[in-house]
Structures are given as structure tokens and as C-alpha cells.
């Protein structure tokens, strides 16, 4: 898709704190990452990304004194003279702020009554020839919110918030299925005429991931895996990594997206560990697990930094520790601090440490039994199920790929 000139518009923008402001900032970043020329147009805010200009238009602000004065009259059902003046002024403001813009994404300003002069000015833009394609992103709907009903009245400008005919050629987007159904009923549109694009989370920022952990996770495409089993051990025979590989192969018969990440390098004290690593890689390939069973030792000769391993605990879905021998079993404690379910070998140190809270299997047991244990526990765990679904559906990168990028492609043919 060719690069576009896109503007995002709202009453306010970051660093003003708010839910819509946050969504706008994430969208602007993703659009810039994709190579588009992006600007943010708002009544309050500042430039927060060197790639994304901020265009301040004070009369867009829902808290501008003139806007508040007009709103006070409108809330009582009166149309003040200042409304037409503000509407005309905003048309002039937007002509400069939107020069060269091909797509305008307007957040909430055509579904809330916080600045009806702005809504009316956008209505004028929607009817003008040669203007940008208009995308109306609806987070909140004034006409379906009980607390706003006393402030809404028949006729214009209030009806602009519930009249589909007022927005010819505009694309309507909502952030949830219930909101989509509300908007369809309000505007008298079929559901399929309204796009759905949920909000998301920037997981790397939310978890404060190190760049190294983020790069490793993305390079292995682990966001597409579920569950991701973490095996934080060095490659030495007593760690029984071959059982983890065979259990993964068995698990993938029913859970084809399951993956394993082994974090450690070869054990440092026995030269035979190099041969053990070669045998593990050969077993992985023989089991058809290339692309599903990952060894950090293949990617870097140096051990992963402690902070990177800590990030991997936060990203993974479960700890798998099939060791034949352990003196203590620190990964079980690390998993507890990371709130990971634990699947581990039934040997005395791990049994003493994990107690009733860990799930145990025989270190020389059948891989199918280990796989069944993992599948049974995770299937019954609502925390895991919700985490896996959120990872698949509610990251900002995924929302952009599934929703926003196809919408832009359609708008531009």
C-alpha cells in the first residue's frame, strides 16, 4: 500500500491523559511505523513523537471557554449565535490543519456532544468535494448514554450524532461488539456497515520489556504460539531436555501452536555437553519441531542476561522443568514470582519446593502423559485461556494488522 497523508483528530491529545487520547497515540505510532505521514490535530496536547507533528487548534478543545459557553446553551436546548461563528471558524482552522490530508480519522467528535460546533464543521467537510476520506471512530455514544439524555434535543446540531445521512461516504468504526450494535441501532445501519477495531495493549511497553527480550520473542514468532513453555536451564543431560522435546511433540498433536523455549547455553564444566546439545538439536529435527522448539544457544553463544530471562518468565505461559536431578529448583520460585503454572519432574527437591501447587510427572515417564498433564491443567485454567486470547486479539500490532491496515487499503483502492 502506498504511503498516505493521515490526520488523527480529537478534542485533546497526549500528554493529556485519557482513554481516547491513549488510543490516538498508539494509532499514530503504528501508522508512522508503517511509513505513513501522520499528524495529530487537537485542541490541547503536544508533540510526543519526533515523527508525528502536533497541530494545535484551540477551538477543538472541549474545555475551550467559548466552546463551554456554547455547550451550556445547547445543553438547555437553545442554539446560541456563537455556534454558527464557531462552526465557521473551525472550518477555517481545519482548512489549514488538514492541508494535503488524504484520510482523516476523527475520534469521538461525531458521537459525543462535547463540542457540537466541531461536529457541525466536520459535517460540512463530509459534504465537501475533494476533501479527505473521513473515518469516524466511535468510542462513546451520547444518544445511548442515560446520563447525557437531558443535554440532547431533537434537530440539529444534536441529530448529527445519530444521523447516518449526515456523513456521506464516511466509514464508521467502533471499539467493541456491544458498541457496534448500539451504533447500528442508533444510525439505522446494518451491522456489516460498521467496522470493529478493538483497543489494544503495547505489551512491550506495559511489561517494560528489555529490547533484547522483545527482539528474541519476535524473532521466534512466539506471539503466534500458545502455549509457550519455558525451560530455563543449561544444556546438560541431568536437565532431561529430551523429555521436554518429546512432550512438546505429543502436545502439538492436539495443540498445534504449542512451543518450547530453552534459555540456557551448554553447561560450562563438562566437554560432553557440546555433544548433548548436538543430540538435542537432532532430536528436535527428527520430531518435526523446528520452528516450535527453540534453543537460545542457537541464536547467541553468550548466556542470556538475567533481566532477559526474567522478561521471558513474564511472557511465557508455563514453566516446564523435567530435570532428573536438582539441588534446589530455583526456576519454581522464579515462576511463582511471575505467576506461571509449574510442570516439573517428581524428584524430592522439586516436590519439597513445589508442594501441592506444582504439577508433577515422572522424569522417566511417557511424553504423552506429560503432554496430557499440561493440556489438562491449562485447559481448565481461565487465567491462561484469557491470556492466550488477549495475546492473539488485543495487542496494538495485531489490531493494526487485522483492522486498520485493511481499512486504509480499502479507502485508497
Amino acid at each position: 500500500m502506498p504511503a498516505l497523508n493521515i490526520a488523527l483528530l480529537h478534542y485533546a491529545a497526549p500528554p493529556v491523559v485519557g482513554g481516547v487520547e491513549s488510543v490516538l497515540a498508539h494509532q499514530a505510532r503504528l501508522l508512522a511505523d508503517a511509513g505513513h505521514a501522520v499528524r495529530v490535530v487537537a485542541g490541547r496536547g503536544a508533540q510526543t513523537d519526533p515523527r508525528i507533528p502536533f497541530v494545535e487548534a484551540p477551538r477543538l478543545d472541549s474545555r475551550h471557554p467559548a466552546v463551554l459557553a456554547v455547550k451550556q446553551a445547547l445543553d438547555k436546548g437553545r442554539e446560541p449565535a456563537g455556534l454558527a461563528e464557531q462552526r465557521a471558524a473551525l472550518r477555517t482552522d481545519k482548512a489549514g490543519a488538514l492541508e494535503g490530508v488524504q484520510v482523516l480519522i476523527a475520534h469521538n467528535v461525531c458521537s459525543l456532544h462535547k463540542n457540537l460546533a466541531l461536529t457541525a464543521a466536520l459535517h460540512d467537510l463530509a459534504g465537501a468535494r475533494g476533501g479527505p476520506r473521513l473515518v469516524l471512530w466511535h468510542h462513546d455514544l451520547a444518544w445511548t448514554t442515560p446520563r447525557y439524555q437531558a443535554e440532547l434535543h431533537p434537530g440539529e446540531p444534536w441529530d448529527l450524532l445519530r444521523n447516518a445521512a449526515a456523513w456521506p461516504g464516511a466509514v464508521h468504526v467502533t471499539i467493541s461488539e456491544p458498541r457496534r450494535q448500539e451504533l447500528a441501532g442508533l444510525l439505522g445501519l446494518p451491522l456489516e456497515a460498521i467496522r470493529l477495531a478493538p483497543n489494544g495493549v503495547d505489551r512491550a511497553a506495559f511489561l517494560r520489556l528489555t529490547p533484547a527480550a522483545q527482539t528474541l520473542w519476535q524473532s521466534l514468532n512466539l506471539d503466534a504460539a500458545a502455549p509457550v513453555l519455558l525451560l530455563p536451564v543449561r544444556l546438560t543431560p541431568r536437565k532431561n531436555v529430551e523429555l521436554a522435546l518429546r512432550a512438546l511433540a505429543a502436545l502439538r498433536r492436539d495443540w498445534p501452536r504449542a512451543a518450547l523455549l530453552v534459555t540456557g547455553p551448554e553447561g560450562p564444566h563438562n566437554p560432553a555437553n557440546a555433544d548433548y546439545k548436538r543430540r538435542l538439536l537432532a532430536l528436535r529435527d527428527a520430531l518435526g519441531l523446528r520452528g516450535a522448539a527453540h534453543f537460545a544457544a542457537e541464536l547467541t553463544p553468550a548466556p542470556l542476561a538475567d533481566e532477559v530471562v526474567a522478561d521471558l518468565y513474564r511472557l511465557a505461559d508455563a514453566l516446564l522443568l523435567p530435570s532428573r536431578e536438582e539441588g534446589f529448583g530455583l526456576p519454581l520460585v522464579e515462576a511463582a514470582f511471575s505467576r506461571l503454572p509449574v510442570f516439573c519432574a517428581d524428584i524430592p527437591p522439586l516436590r519439597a519446593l513445589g508442594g501441592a501447587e506444582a504439577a508433577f510427572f515422572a522424569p522417566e515417564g511417557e511424553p504423552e502423559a506429560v503432554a496430557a498433564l499440561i493440556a489438562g491443567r491449562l485447559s481448565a485454567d481461565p487465567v491462561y485461556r484469557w491470556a492466550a486470547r488477549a495475546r492473539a486479539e488485543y495487542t496494538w500490532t495485531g489490531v493494526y494488522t487485522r483492522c486498520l491496515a485493511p481499512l486504509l487499503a480499502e479507502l485508497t483502492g
Side-chain angles (χ1 to χ4, degrees), residues 151-176:
E151 301 170 2
L152 301 170
H153 308 278
E156 284 202 16
W158 304 275
D159 280 353
L160 293 176
L161 305 176
R162 61 177 179 179
N163 181 9
W167 308 104
V171 176
H172 297 276
V173 182
T174 59
I175 58 173
S176 68

Side-chain angles (χ1 to χ4, degrees), residues 213-291:
Q214 187 177 358
T215 298
L216 175 63
W217 193 265
Q218 290 175 344
S219 70
L220 300 176
N221 195 30
L222 289 174
D223 271 332
V228 177
L229 307 175
L230 185 68
L231 179 46
V233 298
R234 293 182 179 272
L235 303 182
T236 184
R238 69 184 179 89
K239 299 298 184 180
N240 198 17
V241 179
E242 57 270 28
L243 177 57
L245 291 172
R246 292 190 173 98
L248 176 65
L251 182 63
R252 282 173 59 85
R253 291 167 197 157
D254 294 317
W255 294 37
R257 295 193 297 126
L260 173 72
L261 176 57
V262 186
T263 66
E266 300 168 22
H269 305 302
N270 188 341
N273 287 332
D275 182 60
Y276 182 60
K277 174 185 171 183
R278 285 191 291 271
R279 286 188 281 120
L280 288 174
L281 295 179
L283 176 61
R284 176 196 63 187
D285 294 346
L287 292 170
L289 294 176
R290 185 176 286 272

Side-chain angles (χ1 to χ4, degrees), residues 265-324:
E266 300 168 22
H269 305 302
N270 188 341
N273 287 332
D275 182 60
Y276 182 60
K277 174 185 171 183
R278 285 191 291 271
R279 286 188 281 120
L280 288 174
L281 295 179
L283 176 61
R284 176 196 63 187
D285 294 346
L287 292 170
L289 294 176
R290 185 176 286 272
H294 307 283
F295 291 87
E298 276 193 299
L299 305 175
T300 172
L304 297 178
D306 288 346
E307 58 267 27
V308 174
V309 176
D311 283 345
L312 296 176
Y313 271 96
R314 287 191 283 273
L315 288 165
D317 294 306
L319 175 75
L320 178 59
L321 192 65
S323 304
R324 295 186 180 92

Side-chain angles (χ1 to χ4, degrees), residues 45-321:
Q47 184 168 5
T48 57
D49 187 313
R51 305 169 301 168
I52 303 169
F54 173 71
V55 181
E56 186 176 20
R59 281 175 286 214
L60 271 63
D61 187 358
S62 60
R63 287 172 45 181
H64 189 283
V67 172
L68 289 174
V70 167
K71 184 178 185 300
Q72 186 176 23
L74 286 169
D75 287 351
K76 296 175 181 176
R78 302 196 306 269
E79 186 173 325
L83 177 65
E85 179 183 341
Q86 285 190 38
R87 181 175 185 168
L90 281 164
R91 282 200 300 269
T92 302
D93 290 349
K94 290 205 300 300
L98 301 180
E99 184 177 357
V101 168
Q102 297 165 281
V103 177
L104 172 60
I105 303 176
H107 283 272
N108 245 13
V109 297
C110 296
S111 48
L112 281 184
H113 60 307
K114 302 296 185 181
N115 186 343
L116 282 170
L118 173 57
T119 308
L122 274 176
H123 167 65
D124 298 339
L125 178 67
R129 305 186 77 177
R133 291 299 307 272
L134 186 58
V135 179
L136 304 183
W137 212 281
H138 304 283
H139 302 257
D140 306 289
L141 307 178
W143 276 105
T144 62
T145 303
R147 70 178 183 275
Y148 291 145
Q149 296 312 297
E151 301 170 2
L152 301 170
H153 308 278
E156 284 202 16
W158 304 275
D159 280 353
L160 293 176
L161 305 176
R162 61 177 179 179
N163 181 9
W167 308 104
V171 176
H172 297 276
V173 182
T174 59
I175 58 173
S176 68
E177 183 57 36
R179 197 59 102 211
R180 185 179 179 219
Q181 293 175 12
E182 280 183 70
L183 185 64
L186 181 66
L187 299 182
L189 293 174
L191 273 178
E192 58 270 19
I194 299 171
R195 303 296 188 102
L196 176 61
N199 294 340
V201 170
D202 181 345
R203 188 171 52 172
F206 183 75
L207 296 178
R208 300 183 182 275
L209 298 179
T210 57
Q214 187 177 358
T215 298
L216 175 63
W217 193 265
Q218 290 175 344
S219 70
L220 300 176
N221 195 30
L222 289 174
D223 271 332
V228 177
L229 307 175
L230 185 68
L231 179 46
V233 298
R234 293 182 179 272
L235 303 182
T236 184
R238 69 184 179 89
K239 299 298 184 180
N240 198 17
V241 179
E242 57 270 28
L243 177 57
L245 291 172
R246 292 190 173 98
L248 176 65
L251 182 63
R252 282 173 59 85
R253 291 167 197 157
D254 294 317
W255 294 37
R257 295 193 297 126
L260 173 72
L261 176 57
V262 186
T263 66
E266 300 168 22
H269 305 302
N270 188 341
N273 287 332
D275 182 60
Y276 182 60
K277 174 185 171 183
R278 285 191 291 271
R279 286 188 281 120
L280 288 174
L281 295 179
L283 176 61
R284 176 196 63 187
D285 294 346
L287 292 170
L289 294 176
R290 185 176 286 272
H294 307 283
F295 291 87
E298 276 193 299
L299 305 175
T300 172
L304 297 178
D306 288 346
E307 58 267 27
V308 174
V309 176
D311 283 345
L312 296 176
Y313 271 96
R314 287 191 283 273
L315 288 165
D317 294 306
L319 175 75
L320 178 59
L321 192 65

Side-chain angles (χ1 to χ4, degrees), residues 25-56:
H26 284 296
Q27 286 184 351
R29 172 182 59 80
L30 290 162
L31 289 165
D33 289 346
H36 299 293
V38 187
R39 73 187 75 171
V40 171
V41 182
R44 265 181 299 149
Q47 184 168 5
T48 57
D49 187 313
R51 305 169 301 168
I52 303 169
F54 173 71
V55 181
E56 186 176 20

